[in-house]
Amino acid sequence: MSDYLPDELVLEILHRLPAKSLIRFRCVSKSWNSLITSPTFINSHLTQSLSLFSNSNSNTLIVRHCASHPNIEHYKLFRDENDSFDQIQQLDFPVSSRRIHHFMLIGSVNGLFSLHEQERFILWNPSIKKSITLPKPCITFKIHGSVSSHLALGFDPRSNDYKVVRIAFISRNHIPGEPEIPIVEVYSLSEGSWRITSASASFPPGISFNDWNHPAASLNGAVHFAVHDRGNAYCPLVLSFDLGDEVFRVISVPNGMFGAGDSVHTSVFGGSLSLLCHDTRKHTVNKCCSIWVMKEYGVVDSWTKQFTVDLNGGIERVLGLRKNGHILVEAKV
């Protein structure tokens, strides 16, 4: 790698450089380009950057906006420091949609984005301006017919690997009146391929997913979906999928926590599993969004209502929580 410095020292130096410098240094040599763009280096550099980042007083936030006229995806980097929320730069999304107006966002973890349109999957790291198109999944329309799927992006700390989870329901396999059993496949960034898992055996019967569009929350080496029991549609549950042992588990919520017609999806606030509950009933006078936080992961009694956001006065929905505790919302302009 270098005629003057040991490879281990060069690697240590590269790990400490900002992403912008690494982009330039890819041009030094083929070996440096291969190293800097390898999944192993990207993961280790990202882990070290996050460690340094968490000990600093600065933070950044990427905001995505999809315009309809024309159909363009906008990604903007903001400085999220105390009361400051200044735009730093606009990020160029490197891929164009072939069939639909915008890509569907699967999720983002540690600055890595995953998006898709139908059976085309993208991983994008805006910090180094690199994206990859994943190979075709195992379950496809051409082979299996109509497929509906729920997707998630997560990080497995045990294998230091980023994974895309696809829970696929094949229409022709469903027997009316019987519980739907999905096929679960996982893409591993370090392996560069999809594989079908045995997770179907742990999928709880009678579970339905609440929302197709909201990203699943990634936390503690698992991804979390908002679901409900078909026998009780007004009592949401959280379905977790462990990225290490590849097993589904159900996390309950207190009875009466949500009402009929509420739109519930998972998120992560302050390092804790959270639920955002939007009142979607059109004729409700006082629409609001309640934010519930699980103070102790996996302990049902630790669910706590943290905020209630008034959705009147032009506010459309709650997007997330800033570092200073302020709530980020989408509003009509």
Side-chain angles (χ1 to χ4, degrees):
M1 189 181 297
S2 171
D3 296 332
Y4 306 101
L5 295 174
D7 290 351
E8 294 79 7
L9 183 56
V10 172
L11 189 61
E12 181 66 24
I13 293 172
L14 292 176
H15 270 130
R16 294 176 179 273
L17 293 176
K20 285 185 177 180
S21 298
L22 292 176
I23 293 172
R24 296 199 303 269
F25 289 162
R26 285 166 48 197
C27 302
V28 171
S29 66
K30 289 183 178 180
S31 61
W32 278 36
N33 179 63
S34 298
L35 170 67
I36 292 171
T37 57
S38 68
T40 301
F41 179 83
I42 292 172
N43 286 346
S44 57
H45 180 268
L46 188 57
T47 300
Q48 181 158 324
S49 298
L50 288 170
S51 176
L52 295 173
F53 212 44
S54 62
N55 294 324
S56 69
N57 294 322
S58 64
N59 207 345
T60 55
L61 186 67
I62 293 178
V63 175
R64 180 189 192 221
H65 171 66
C66 296
S68 55
H69 300 290
N71 295 304
I72 299 175
E73 298 183 35
H74 298 281
Y75 293 83
K76 297 180 180 180
L77 184 66
F78 287 85
R79 180 174 287 107
D80 189 12
E81 297 177 342
N82 298 323
D83 293 333
S84 173
F85 197 62
D86 302 322
Q87 181 178 329
I88 301 173
Q89 68 179 104
Q90 182 157 325
L91 305 173
D92 294 325
F93 185 56
V95 187
S96 298
S97 174
R98 295 172 181 169
R99 299 177 181 176
I100 57 178
H101 297 321
H102 305 109
F103 280 89
M104 300 295 293
L105 178 64
I106 297 173
S108 63
V109 179
N110 297 339
L112 182 69
F113 284 73
S114 180
L115 307 99
H116 82 104
E117 58 170 359
Q118 298 180 337
E119 294 173 0
R120 183 187 181 203
F121 294 84
I122 306 293
L123 284 178
W124 174 44
N125 188 336
S127 66
I128 60 171
K129 300 181 180 179
K130 288 283 290 183
S131 67
I132 59 172
T133 299
L134 308 191
K136 282 277 189 180
C138 304
I139 308 301
T140 63
F141 175 80
K142 184 176 181 179
I143 298 174
H144 301 88
S146 179
V147 177
S148 60
S149 59
H150 295 270
L151 302 157
L153 171 69
F155 176 69
D156 182 2
R158 283 161 288 190
S159 60
N160 196 35
D161 192 12
Y162 292 88
K163 298 178 179 180
V164 179
V165 178
R166 187 176 186 231
I167 305 171
F169 294 88
I170 302 175
S171 297
R172 71 186 186 194
N173 289 353
H174 177 52
I175 302 174
E178 295 291 327
E180 287 189 273
I181 304 299
I183 296 176
V184 182
E185 53 182 328
V186 173
Y187 174 85
S188 163
L189 179 59
S190 63
E191 296 174 2
S193 61
W194 293 91
R195 61 179 177 81
I196 294 178
T197 72
S198 59
S200 299
S202 63
F203 187 82
I207 288 293
S208 290
F209 288 81
N210 286 3
D211 199 311
W212 296 84
N213 298 322
H214 289 290
S218 176
L219 181 72
N220 295 340
V223 290
H224 304 79
F225 303 87
V227 299
H228 64 265
D229 188 331
R230 287 181 179 173
N232 187 357
Y234 303 142
C235 183
L237 303 166
V238 175
L239 179 67
S240 72
F241 178 75
D242 191 292
L243 297 170
D245 60 22
E246 297 182 344
V247 170
F248 286 103
R249 296 179 177 88
V250 172
I251 300 175
S252 299
V253 302
N255 289 331
M257 193 164 150
F258 305 109
D262 289 345
S263 172
V264 181
H265 66 272
T266 59
S267 186
V268 177
F269 283 163
S272 297
L273 179 63
S274 306
L275 290 174
L276 273 67
C277 173
H278 287 85
D279 183 349
T280 59
R281 290 165 290 185
K282 293 183 178 179
H283 302 295
T284 303
V285 176
N286 297 314
K287 288 187 178 181
C288 65
C289 172
S290 58
I291 302 174
W292 292 76
V293 176
M294 183 173 250
K295 297 290 188 178
E296 187 175 349
Y297 184 76
V299 178
V300 176
D301 291 340
S302 70
W303 282 112
T304 305
K305 183 187 282 190
Q306 197 78 8
F307 304 101
T308 299
V309 182
D310 185 355
L311 295 182
N312 296 289
I315 296 178
E316 293 284 309
R317 61 190 177 112
V318 174
L319 298 177
L321 200 67
R322 292 181 54 196
K323 186 178 180 181
N324 62 4
H326 292 177
I327 297 171
L328 195 64
V329 300
E330 178 182 337
K332 292 180 180 179
V333 293

